[in-house]
Amino acid sequence: VVAAGSGERFGDRKQYQRIGGRRMIDWSLATASDFSAGVVLVVPADRATDDESNADAVVAGGSSRSASVRAGLDAVPAQATHVVVHDAARPVPHPDVWRAVMDALGAGAEAVVPVVPVTDTLREVDGTTVDRSRFVAVQTPQGFRADVLRKAHAADVEATDDAALAEAVGATVTCVPGSASNIKITTPADLILAEALCR
Ligand code: CTP
Ligand code: MG
C-alpha cells in the first residue's frame, strides 16, 4: 500500500485524513490484509517510525510514486510469488475488484490491472476529439508475478503506474473490471464522495 505522497493537489497529506472514523490508509490496509499474506505500508520518511499495527512492515517512501513502490518491494519477502500494489488514495473497499485481480493472477497472468470505461469525452491537447471507446481508465489494486514486478523496478524508472513499467520489460498486462466507485482521492471534494461510499 503506497501512501508516501505529499498530497499537493489535496493541500495536505490526504492519506492521514479521516473517512468514516478511520484514517484513509486504514481502509486500504484492511482490504489488503483480507487478500494477502502480508502487507507493506509505504509512508513519508518522517512517518516511518509510526506504530502502524495494521501493517506487517512500514517503510519510508521516495520522491516519486515509482520510488515508493520500489521501497515497498524491497520489504516484500523474497519467497513471495505475487505482489499487489495499491494506492492508499483509493480507500473505498472493493473486494470484488481485489478478487478479480487475484483470480487473474491465479490463472497465470503476469500483470493485472482493473479498468473502467472513460466517461468524459476525450480530446487530444493539440488535436481533435478521439474515439473514447478505444480507451479505459486504469485503477489499483494492480497485481503482478513477483519476478515481473521486481524486473520492472530493477532500474530507477518512472511511470504513473506499475503496469506501464511491467509492459516496458515485456510483460503482458491483463485487464479485469474495476469499479466506478473505486475512486482516487485527489482533491478535498473527493473526500465527500468517499465518505458516502465507505459508509
Ligand atoms: N505516492 C507515494 N509516494 C510518492 C508519491 C505518491 O507513495 N512519492 C502514493 C500516494 O500516497 C497515493 C498514490 O501514490 O496513495 C497515488 O498518488 P497521488 O494520488 O498522486 O497522491 P499524491 O502524490 O500524494 O498527491 P499529489 O500528486 O497531488 O501531490
Ligand atoms: Mg502524485
Side-chain angles (χ1 to χ4, degrees):
V1 174
V2 285
S6 52
E8 240 166 80
R9 289 167 290 181
F10 189 91
D12 199 359
R13 283 180 175 170
K14 58 192 178 186
Q15 62 272 44
Y16 295 104
Q17 292 282 318
R18 285 192 175 264
I19 297 174
R22 36 157 53 165
R23 302 171 309 165
M24 194 185 297
I25 58 176
D26 291 320
W27 288 94
S28 289
L29 289 175
T31 312
S33 297
D34 285 345
F35 283 93
S36 48
V39 182
V40 177
L41 175 65
V42 186
V43 295
D46 61 340
R47 304 295 300 260
T49 56
D50 287 11
D51 182 28
E52 294 286 359
S53 54
N54 295 331
D56 297 288
V58 184
V59 299
S63 57
S64 66
R65 185 186 179 282
S66 297
S68 293
V69 172
R70 276 190 287 283
L73 198 50
D74 283 343
V76 173
Q79 70 267 27
T81 59
H82 294 86
V83 179
V84 176
V85 183
H86 184 56
D87 287 342
R90 292 189 193 272
V92 182
H94 275 286
D96 48 341
V97 176
W98 280 75
R99 176 52 56 206
V101 170
M102 295 298 179
D103 285 349
L105 290 177
E110 304 186 294
V112 187
V113 296
V115 300
V116 289
V118 177
T119 53
D120 289 321
T121 295
L122 296 180
R123 254 185 99 73
E124 288 182 69
V125 174
D126 294 315
T128 54
T129 301
V130 297
D131 177 9
R132 170 174 80 193
S133 66
R134 291 176 44 234
F135 297 89
V136 286
V138 179
Q139 306 181 326
T140 70
Q142 298 189 353
F144 302 89
R145 238 171 51 198
D147 61 314
V148 168
L149 189 61
R150 290 193 197 275
K151 187 176 170 197
H153 279 283
D156 272 352
V157 284
E158 295 296 330
T160 53
D161 78 352
D162 301 289
L165 298 178
E167 246 161 9
V169 295
T172 301
V173 175
T174 300
C175 296
V176 298
S179 170
S181 58
N182 182 21
I183 60 166
K184 184 157 86 74
I185 311 294
T186 303
T187 67
D190 298 324
L191 212 50
I192 298 165
L193 184 53
E195 282 269 0
L197 291 167
C198 284
R199 207 184 301 130

